[in-house]
Amino acid sequence: MYDSWLRLGLDTVRLGMEAQTVVALRLAKLSLGGSAAQAEAERMVIEKMEAAAEAAITLAAGGSPERVVRDYRRKVRANAHRLSRG
């Protein structure tokens, strides 16, 4: 029982750390301004709305919090990879 809670807690901490990387990369991109910054700002808002909706659907369908965190982490890592390439 405690193993699953511990794993969820650690995965949530990892998500927070990974999200901070994306925040830093996005701020750097937004600070440059221009059309790329505008596109990133729009993408960010759309992604957040979609992610929240997907999390709600997952939980409403009986999915676990672990799955929600796992899905968020996958998306955050993809963003970090995309943003770090330039």
Side-chain angles (χ1 to χ4, degrees):
M1 176 180 154
Y2 292 115
D3 183 49
S4 64
W5 280 102
L6 179 61
R7 188 174 34 244
L8 176 60
L10 290 174
D11 283 344
T12 303
V13 168
R14 288 184 189 113
L15 171 61
M17 293 170 63
E18 293 162 349
Q20 288 303 308
T21 299
V22 171
V23 168
L25 291 168
R26 276 194 164 140
L27 284 173
K29 186 166 194 163
L30 293 173
S31 70
L32 297 174
S35 61
Q38 179 65 34
E40 187 62 33
E42 291 171 8
R43 180 181 188 143
M44 176 178 60
V45 172
I46 292 168
E47 283 178 351
K48 292 192 181 322
M49 291 188 308
E50 288 175 348
E54 287 174 17
I57 291 168
T58 297
L59 293 173
S64 68
E66 290 86 355
R67 176 157 180 210
V68 171
V69 171
R70 186 174 56 242
D71 290 347
Y72 267 113
R73 285 189 70 206
R74 180 179 43 81
K75 292 172 187 177
V76 168
R77 283 191 306 268
N79 274 331
H81 179 71
R82 177 181 58 79
L83 290 164
S84 66
R85 289 182 298 163

